[in-house]
Amino acid sequence: MVLFRLCVIGLIWAANRPYPLDFQTDNLFQPPSWNQSGHVDNFLGTDDLGRDLLSRIIYGCQLTFGGGLVVVLVAALIGIPIGVFSGMSKGIKASILHHVMDTALSIPSLLIAIMVVSFLGPGLENTLIAIALAQIPQFIRFTYIAVSTEVQKEYITAIRLDGATNYRIIKNGVLPNIADSIIFQISRSFSSSLIDITALGFIGIGAQAPLPEWGAMLGGSKDLLFSAPWTVTLPGCVIMMSILSVNMVGEGLRQAMLEGVD
């Protein structure tokens, strides 16, 4: 939870980052402040162009963490209603949606994102569009399974025999009982989106320089691993902690919802 709060604070603080992001040729390869040669003015050190690493990581929180949040919200808003509709459907409609989603999910989301970005062109905006398109089938399939499993339970049959419409069944019966599963899927998709955004940035087809997206920072600094290891390890640690925080918060929310139901 603490790590998640730090990421949210980074989104707010990014507009007031401590140091400018432009080049400082007189301050190249400044090590972090805990190093004997470091200075507290550049708390996390500087890169090969003299840019403050802490400022770039904070600003990159908008691009990576914020971009992942936008992606998962868009995918959830599109995928969950379609999944609910398909889960409540029967016959040919349900069969078609079922097989189409199985086909889409047979392709890894990162591969789908790479294909879409290759078609649209590199850039952060195209990356977010590509990852959102790759995440939507996962939401549809997960929601479809959850809803179709729930509607087969006896209490749904009792509600239906009592004359309840599909809208009332979804609103009062299905959605309250699959909310914890949806939260779990959102947190899992959020983590997957962060990985995909940073992966595309790392291989050079995602966010482009000089944007300080965390994956692009890793890709641009991989040649400095031995001469300036902090330029690689610190963004990598931030990515790892962000994904860990999202998973912990998602699991905590799911457990809290389950305890509330009990």
Side-chain angles (χ1 to χ4, degrees):
M1 180 65 74
V2 175
L3 296 175
F4 181 78
R5 289 176 179 174
L6 289 175
C7 292
V8 175
I9 291 172
L11 289 171
I12 301 173
W13 193 25
N16 300 304
R17 48 191 177 274
Y19 289 94
L21 298 178
D22 38 339
F23 305 149
Q24 301 178 33
T25 55
D26 58 341
N27 201 23
L28 306 179
F29 293 119
Q30 183 72 27
S33 58
W34 54 83
N35 189 285
Q36 293 182 351
S37 303
H39 196 276
V40 73
D41 289 343
N42 299 109
F43 186 71
L44 296 183
T46 60
D47 60 9
D48 55 334
L49 297 176
R51 296 170 295 188
D52 183 70
L53 201 59
L54 176 60
S55 297
R56 286 174 58 79
I57 289 176
I58 293 173
Y59 185 77
C61 187
Q62 292 182 98
L63 307 177
T64 305
F65 196 87
L69 182 60
V70 170
V71 164
V72 74
L73 288 178
V74 171
L77 290 175
I78 297 175
I80 291 176
I82 298 176
V84 172
F85 171 76
S86 61
M88 296 295 294
S89 300
K90 295 181 180 179
I92 296 178
K93 291 187 296 184
S95 179
I96 292 175
L97 288 170
H98 175 74
H99 291 298
V100 169
M101 290 304 103
D102 281 347
T103 303
L105 289 175
S106 65
I107 307 174
S109 61
L110 183 58
L111 181 57
I112 295 176
I114 291 175
M115 292 188 296
V116 175
V117 170
S118 300
F119 176 76
L120 297 177
L124 182 61
E125 294 81 5
N126 293 339
T127 296
L128 299 183
I129 294 172
I131 296 174
L133 293 175
Q135 292 290 335
I136 289 173
Q138 299 185 21
F139 273 101
I140 296 175
R141 178 62 175 164
F142 184 87
T143 309
Y144 167 79
I145 294 175
V147 171
S148 60
T149 301
E150 197 69 23
V151 296
Q152 295 176 6
K153 295 184 178 178
E154 294 182 356
Y155 81 95
I156 296 293
T157 304
I159 296 175
R160 196 185 299 276
L161 292 175
D162 196 39
T165 62
N166 284 339
Y167 175 76
R168 287 186 57 193
I169 292 174
I170 294 172
K171 179 182 177 182
N172 300 323
V174 175
L175 289 182
N177 289 287
I178 66 170
D180 60 307
S181 300
I182 292 176
I183 293 296
F184 170 75
Q185 176 62 23
I186 288 175
S187 64
R188 189 174 67 175
S189 296
F190 197 173
S191 301
S192 177
S193 298
L194 292 177
I195 294 173
D196 291 345
I197 291 172
T198 53
L200 293 177
F202 179 81
I203 63 179
I205 63 175
Q208 302 296 297
L211 289 177
E213 192 273 318
W214 294 340
M217 290 175 64
L218 280 176
S221 303
K222 60 181 181 295
D223 296 333
L224 306 176
L225 180 60
F226 297 104
S227 58
W230 61 89
T231 61
V232 180
T233 56
L234 292 177
C237 290
V238 171
I239 295 171
M240 179 187 68
M241 290 188 296
S242 298
I243 295 172
L244 178 63
S245 300
V246 169
N247 290 333
M248 292 176 62
V249 170
E251 181 62 22
L253 288 174
R254 190 178 73 86
Q255 292 294 335
M257 295 180 70
L258 289 175
E259 291 175 2
V261 172
D262 294 340

